[in-house]
Amino acid sequence: MAKHHVNLKVNGDEHDLLIEPRKTLLAVLRDTVGLTGTKEGCSTGDCGACTVIVDGKAVTSCMVLAVTASGKEITTIEGLASDGELHPVQQAFINTGGYQCGFCTPGFIMASKALIDENPDRSEEEFRHALGGNICRCTGYTKILEAVLKAAEEVSATA
Amino acid sequence: MSEHTVVGQTVARVDAVEKVTGAAQYGADVHPPGMLYGKIVRSKHAHANILGIDTTEAEKLPGVKAIITQDDVPSGRRVFATDKVLYLGEPLAAVAATDPDVAEEAAELIKIDYEVLPVVQDVMEAIQPSAPRLHGDDTKDGPNRREIATQIRRLSRDKENDHSNEISKLESELDNYPDEVYYNISAESHSEAGDVEKGFAESDVVVEDTYVIPRVHQTYMEPHVSVASADSSGKITVWASTQGPFAIRSGIAGTLGIPLTQINVIGTTMGGGFGGRFGVIITHVPAVLLSQKTGRPVRVQMTREEEFTDGRPAPGCVIKLKTGATKDGHILARQALAFWDSGSVSGASIGSTIRVRGVYKIPNLKVDAYGVHTNKSGTAAYRAPGAPQAIFAGESQLDEIAERIGMDPVEFRLMNMREEGDPVPAGASEPKVGYKETLQAVADAAGWWDREAGENQGWGVAVGDWTNGCGPGGVYVSVHEDGSVRIFHGSMDITGTDTAISQIIAEILTVPYESVTIRRGDTDSAPYSTGSGGSVVTFTMGNTAKLAAEDAHQRVLELASERLNMNVDNLELRDGAVHVVSADPPKSISLGELAAYSLSTTGGPIVGKGSFARQPSTPALAAQIAKVEVDPGTGRTRVLKLVASQDVGFAINPMAVEGQIEGGTVQGYAWAMMEEMQYGDDGNINPGFVDYRVPTSADLPTVESVIVEVPAPNGPYGAKGVGEPPITPTLATMANAVKDAIGVRITELPIKPERVVDALKSNGH
């Protein structure tokens, strides 16, 4: 299959790649760029484990063809902590016990970060609905919501 | 105030940072150089004869490196189907290619010639003589025929007396049970205590119902995956996302007929298991065979769709249950006849039918259970295997009895619960368990005693019991010159168990939790460890860790005794140093100093060893209360309140324990209200998250968890396993709440909107 030239900007680094048009952004991030923090849970856009941020928006990377992401700013879970300092959302997931097996956690953290960046002042109910595209099988969501609300509060206070 | 400083405290988990930064390595994150991608070729029919497999076209595809079928399994042990498939998705062959998309393309190019056969998916149809037969000799007698047949056999064995009249009478009695010859039976289990017929005769109220529970998938978020690498010397390395690496090692060795020592299994971080990641499953052996054939590492990773068609989910079942009680509320008898949908192979947890007994004094109990073959994949454990199904039936029916005799459901349960010292089957007596304390705690926390319900609102309560298992494990502890403590073991972390082990060791060696690190070895390096499941780890590995730390503690005191020239009796370890008891001025030596000193002693470095296999463990109880509102127009049920209490013995890390309670309760909720694997003549028809709905944060309110601590005699610090109990009562909790809200008892799960609407209609609403 003919390959296409794609320029991916991932966590600030540029990657010039030749890739088949059938490859998803998820596959390229994991198999070509080597960033395996983004997870594959369903490959149909239903579980949210592969959520990354593309130009400020949370997207399920299994539903995006990599060729369409060329030239866009992509942030993955690996790009969230800066200078050894965890992002408030990451720290909140630790403090509240918002993860167990951790497989859905990168997706949840990225989806939560995008929501908080957009508007941290949401009610628990609003966050519950906004995160309805991410599946967690371990926690029952109670502690995830605690984490997201705590992180939102912190971001809101420092904004 | 707790007498402990590290155990009993909420601490951040040992894997906290790697889990929130994406650094944790799960099975599919393993990518050795030169790795190929494997794909399993699967049956497209639920029941068919295989007339031929043609790989010619697939072999021509550039990038394809190997295609294997059963002919490529040197041991001859069944890995792939050959002449017949019994379910949609059954493996027939496997491909390895340089790219995952090429592997998938190649799998599609393999031509399978099928002769389609009739299919049976419903257990009650499968036991009929008219049903298609999946295996050969699989006919069994039902409970009544079985008893008569046993009597006939006994009489026939007595050659000294003539029983021919009795025998012919019994033989004609068999004709009374023409429907009791069951077909497609994979296994059976029977038990009896007391005399149920007498118990029912003495009862004022007898209720009988049939409960239908669907097959559900564990739905761990990480689909099954294995990476295998066979080197030129024949050594095989397998990276597996598994609950038990040692069982995979023995499983592969057995399947391939090679020595244990030729296989090294490396357990990767696990993306959920819930019982579904035990032993050799689906991906491991094909990955090894493909690597042997190509001489390159191979990863075999299932898709979510493959999980639904060829996972090993929890069995569905049909339970006919009958309970009798006196009008003042004493349960006298209970009888169950259960048919478990085992799928194409045996293995459904039919023995769990006995859990209809619950935690109650029931003098007369009879349980007959059968595993039934259908055209589905086999089943496996799912969080307290078999208990949620049996307890759904048992606890639903208790509410029906309570209602008929006019007793409060909580009071009715409290009155019938077993107490310490009560007789239990197998000769033992009931240990001290917080049955009543746990139920009382949830009732108090939920506001049960002054509960109010608006229109179409209702409250439900149920309890579920489970006993944690135990198994072998080994742990080493070493103390280093900087006073830090290292732990080495071979047990897989399931959501916090490494943290609990670290806390226990920090507690005993009196060091801060932060100075303890834990490393897991592979099967080549680590001492044997049982699989992480069955609520085993905290009990087994906790006890093992305790022994190892105590061993190290002993060595520390010996060293201090030598160094300080003091008798051991005058020394105590606290705050990370050995102190001379009541010395004035105070005299002490730190663990770090002792570790440094140890390097030049005859006895050598500080290494503690712990090894443990079993001790009797005590049951645990989960009690839950839900308040719901049902929309009679749409049939939709909304949860307004969900409170879950659990007797955990002792919470080593309270936040992690709450997490287990909350997560298990939501899985139970999902089984009650949403989840069911659906099957047609073509096999599973809802193999994805759009059609198989699992709960999201939008479906539920906050789960309130209540920790109850009644110490377990043999648990570390009194702890017992906490993972499994919370799923056990929720199915009935929800059904009981819906009954209270709309006055209609729903006996078939899930309680989906259309089922509620139909139930209301058939009750004249």
Side-chain angles (χ1 to χ4, degrees):
Chain A
M1 192 173 280
K3 294 188 175 183
H4 291 240
H5 174 243
V6 173
N7 180 266
L8 292 184
K9 289 185 191 136
V10 187
N11 304 328
D13 293 336
E14 295 214 13
H15 299 267
D16 274 312
L17 307 166
L18 272 178
I19 53 179
E20 290 181 354
R22 64 180 168 186
K23 295 291 177 194
T24 63
L25 177 58
L26 172 66
V28 172
L29 285 173
R30 288 181 54 83
D31 296 338
T32 314
V33 182
L35 293 173
T36 55
T38 305
K39 301 302 178 200
E40 180 168 20
C42 70
S43 329
T44 50
D46 300 313
C47 80
C50 66
T51 304
V52 298
I53 297 176
V54 178
D55 285 348
K57 291 270 180 213
V59 300
T60 45
S61 59
C62 74
M63 291 282 96
V64 176
L65 290 173
V67 288
T68 67
S70 196
K72 295 183 179 171
E73 294 282 350
I74 299 158
T75 309
T76 71
I77 187 73
E78 289 91 345
L80 217 50
S82 60
D83 303 327
E85 185 101 348
L86 294 179
H87 185 276
V89 178
Q90 292 174 307
Q91 192 59 52
F93 268 74
I94 293 178
N95 294 349
T96 64
Y99 73 92
Q100 287 184 26
C101 85
F103 196 80
C104 73
T105 309
F108 257 105
I109 289 176
M110 298 313 284
S112 305
K113 183 199 181 280
L115 282 173
I116 291 170
D117 284 350
E118 191 186 274
N119 173 18
D121 301 316
R122 298 173 202 250
S123 67
E124 179 184 331
E125 201 52 25
E126 285 168 335
F127 273 119
R128 277 192 175 275
H129 282 274
L131 290 169
N134 289 70
I135 296 175
C136 167
R137 192 59 165 173
C138 297
T139 65
Y141 303 104
T142 291
K143 294 196 187 313
I144 290 181
L145 264 294
E146 250 176 72
V148 176
L149 286 166
K150 197 177 250 186
E153 199 180 302
E154 194 175 317
V155 168
S156 198
T158 55
Chain B
M1 213 29 219
S2 165
E3 68 211 86
H4 309 302
T5 55
V6 190
V7 295
Q9 311 294 319
T10 288
V11 296
R13 281 170 43 180
V14 294
D15 55 1
V17 172
E18 66 178 55
K19 289 269 176 86
V20 301
T21 56
Q25 291 274 301
Y26 295 80
D29 302 337
V30 175
H31 196 149
M35 187 186 82
L36 299 173
Y37 297 82
K39 184 79 190 166
I40 295 173
V41 181
R42 301 178 174 287
S43 164
K44 290 190 164 33
H45 295 282
H47 198 188
N49 287 323
I50 301 299
L51 306 178
I53 300 176
D54 179 2
T55 60
T56 328
E57 286 304 308
E59 279 160 21
K60 289 182 198 155
L61 193 69
V64 172
K65 296 292 173 188
I67 298 174
I68 55 169
T69 63
Q70 184 63 26
D71 293 341
D72 298 282
V73 184
S75 67
R77 291 279 293 271
R78 186 185 163 105
V79 176
F80 301 104
T82 48
D83 50 348
K84 194 178 179 188
V85 286
L86 296 173
Y87 63 95
L88 173 83
E90 187 166 0
L92 284 158
V95 179
T98 50
D99 177 283
D101 295 321
V102 173
E104 199 177 322
E105 249 182 286
E108 286 297 318
L109 287 173
I110 293 174
K111 291 194 191 84
I112 317 280
D113 197 4
Y114 300 93
E115 180 195 14
V116 176
L117 299 168
V119 166
V120 62
Q121 300 291 24
D122 181 272
V123 281
M124 300 315 284
E125 283 170 25
I127 61 172
Q128 303 298 328
S130 55
R133 305 283 288 278
L134 271 66
H135 297 279
D137 181 23
D138 53 8
T139 307
K140 298 274 187 209
D141 284 325
N144 295 300
R145 287 185 65 92
R146 195 172 158 269
E147 265 173 38
I148 298 165
T150 310
Q151 285 183 46
I152 294 173
R153 272 201 304 278
R154 204 179 55 231
L155 292 173
S156 318
R157 275 201 298 271
D158 180 6
K159 302 291 178 205
E160 289 174 15
N161 302 294
D162 179 19
H163 296 291
S164 54
N165 282 344
E166 283 168 86
I167 289 173
S168 64
K169 195 168 152 243
L170 284 167
E171 276 170 350
S172 67
E173 256 185 63
L174 282 176
D175 299 338
N176 295 334
Y177 301 99
D179 298 337
E180 276 206 6
V181 178
Y182 303 143
Y183 299 84
N184 284 308
I185 298 299
S186 65
E188 59 184 319
S189 161
H190 306 274
S191 65
E192 193 168 1
D195 181 345
V196 283
E197 289 310 325
K198 186 165 161 279
F200 290 130
E202 290 168 1
S203 296
D204 299 310
V205 179
V206 175
V207 178
E208 201 169 352
D209 259 313
T210 299
Y211 299 88
V212 182
I213 301 104
R215 167 181 277 230
V216 300
H217 198 289
Q218 299 89 346
T219 325
Y220 30 78
M221 290 312 297
E222 179 192 26
H224 283 319
V225 58
S226 343
V227 180
S229 180
D231 71 17
S232 51
S233 74
K235 177 83 188 181
I236 294 164
T237 305
V238 177
W239 291 263
S241 177
T242 176
Q243 292 176 247
F246 289 90
I248 291 184
R249 180 179 66 164
S250 53
I252 292 173
T255 308
L256 300 183
I258 54 178
L260 273 189
T261 47
Q262 209 171 314
I263 304 159
N264 183 29
V265 180
I266 303 171
T268 64
T269 302
M270 195 198 327
F274 313 114
R277 256 188 238 282
F278 265 116
V280 167
I281 26 179
I282 315 151
T283 52
H284 301 124
V285 174
V288 171
L289 291 168
L290 287 168
S291 180
Q292 284 178 321
K293 184 147 184 179
T294 58
R296 290 169 67 170
V298 178
R299 184 199 294 161
V300 178
Q301 181 180 354
M302 289 187 16
T303 62
R304 185 58 61 181
E305 182 177 345
E306 287 176 285
E307 277 291 346
F308 281 108
T309 51
D310 192 25
R312 299 289 177 268
C317 64
V318 174
I319 303 176
K320 294 168 185 271
L321 189 69
K322 185 176 176 183
T323 308
T326 62
K327 56 179 182 287
D328 59 352
H330 292 282
I331 306 169
L332 293 186
R334 179 163 264 188
Q335 182 171 11
L337 172 60
F339 298 96
W340 294 78
D341 186 347
S342 192
S344 61
V345 292
S346 61
S349 34
I350 65 171
S352 285
T353 316
I354 192 69
R355 299 236 168 232
V356 296
R357 186 171 70 109
V359 295
Y360 307 107
K361 302 170 205 179
I362 304 180
N364 306 293
L365 182 75
K366 188 170 191 298
V367 171
D368 296 284
Y370 295 86
V372 181
H373 285 304
T374 57
N375 291 114
K376 305 185 178 89
S377 68
T379 62
Y382 176 31
R383 210 165 191 156
Q389 297 96 315
I391 290 168
F392 165 65
E395 288 286 294
S396 293
Q397 198 157 75
L398 276 197
D399 263 31
E400 291 301 309
I401 300 262
E403 188 185 321
R404 280 170 177 69
I405 61 177
M407 270 186 88
D408 177 88
V410 171
E411 280 170 5
F412 179 54
R413 286 175 172 81
L414 287 172
M415 182 180 149
N416 281 286
M417 277 176 168
R418 292 196 298 272
E419 289 163 358
E420 189 178 3
D422 279 350
V424 293
S429 72
E430 192 70 34
K432 173 68 189 155
V433 184
Y435 296 143
K436 293 184 181 182
E437 292 89 333
T438 308
L439 178 54
Q440 195 78 51
V442 76
D444 293 346
W448 174 266
W449 304 111
D450 47 12
R451 62 192 183 278
E452 287 172 359
E455 204 183 343
N456 298 317
Q457 292 183 346
W459 292 70
V461 64
V463 305
D465 60 310
W466 187 254
T467 303
N468 64 240
C470 48
V475 169
Y476 289 107
V477 175
S478 46
V479 181
H480 294 243
E481 311 93 279
D482 59 354
S484 67
V485 174
R486 289 285 160 114
I487 306 166
F488 184 69
H489 71 126
S491 139
M492 296 308 299
D493 179 82
I494 41 171
T495 66
T497 50
D498 274 3
T499 304
I501 293 169
S502 302
Q503 283 181 271
I504 289 169
I505 286 173
E507 179 75 36
I508 292 171
L509 293 177
T510 73
V511 297
Y513 167 70
E514 293 73 25
S515 58
V516 176
T517 47
I518 185 162
R519 289 282 175 275
R520 180 181 0 276
D522 49 32
T523 59
D524 265 2
S525 62
Y528 187 92
S529 178
T530 191
S532 297
S535 303
V536 156
V537 191
T538 303
F539 189 82
T540 284
M541 295 309 287
N543 274 320
T544 315
K546 214 159 163 265
L547 291 170
E550 283 161 2
D551 193 25
H553 184 279
Q554 187 58 37
R555 175 76 186 129
V556 164
L557 290 183
E558 273 169 30
L559 285 163
S561 165
E562 257 176 67
R563 192 74 176 137
L564 299 173
N565 202 18
M566 291 290 290
N567 192 303
V568 168
D569 297 342
N570 294 330
L571 299 173
E572 67 168 345
L573 176 62
R574 65 180 144 84
D575 304 327
V578 177
H579 300 260
V580 178
V581 177
S582 42
D584 188 18
K587 197 173 177 192
S588 68
I589 182 164
S590 72
L591 273 181
E593 287 171 292
L594 287 169
Y597 166 67
S598 73
L599 303 180
S600 56
T601 61
T602 310
I606 305 166
V607 181
K609 188 198 95 176
S611 196
F612 173 89
R614 56 185 60 246
Q615 278 273 17
S617 60
T618 38
L621 192 81
Q624 295 169 2
I625 286 176
K627 183 184 184 186
V628 303
E629 182 173 309
V630 181
D631 180 333
T634 63
R636 185 162 180 261
T637 302
R638 200 156 62 93
V639 183
L640 305 175
K641 193 181 199 45
L642 189 50
V643 188
S645 69
Q646 190 172 324
D647 174 12
V648 304
F650 173 75
I652 289 173
N653 185 352
M655 189 167 74
V657 169
E658 284 170 12
Q660 290 296 313
I661 297 175
E662 292 159 6
T665 304
V666 169
Q667 286 184 332
Y669 161 85
W671 203 339
M673 308 305 289
M674 307 169 78
E675 294 179 26
E676 65 179 321
M677 296 178 74
Q678 297 170 319
Y679 290 84
D681 279 353
D682 295 323
N684 178 258
I685 56 170
N686 59 339
F689 287 139
V690 170
D691 298 314
Y692 184 95
R693 281 256 295 123
V694 299
T696 70
S697 55
D699 292 302
L700 282 155
T702 291
V703 178
E704 299 167 47
S705 50
V706 181
I707 293 176
V708 177
E709 295 177 306
V710 176
N714 298 314
Y717 301 97
K720 30 184 139 180
V722 296
E724 291 168 298
I727 196 177
T728 61
T730 330
L731 286 62
T733 306
M734 297 309 301
N736 289 344
V738 169
K739 165 75 194 274
D740 190 46
I742 60 171
V744 179
R745 166 63 56 188
I746 294 183
T747 54
E748 182 171 1
L749 298 180
I751 305 173
K752 48 189 176 182
E754 56 268 43
R755 190 160 277 151
V756 171
V757 170
D758 286 349
L760 282 168
K761 271 188 198 151
S762 59
N763 277 267
H765 291 266

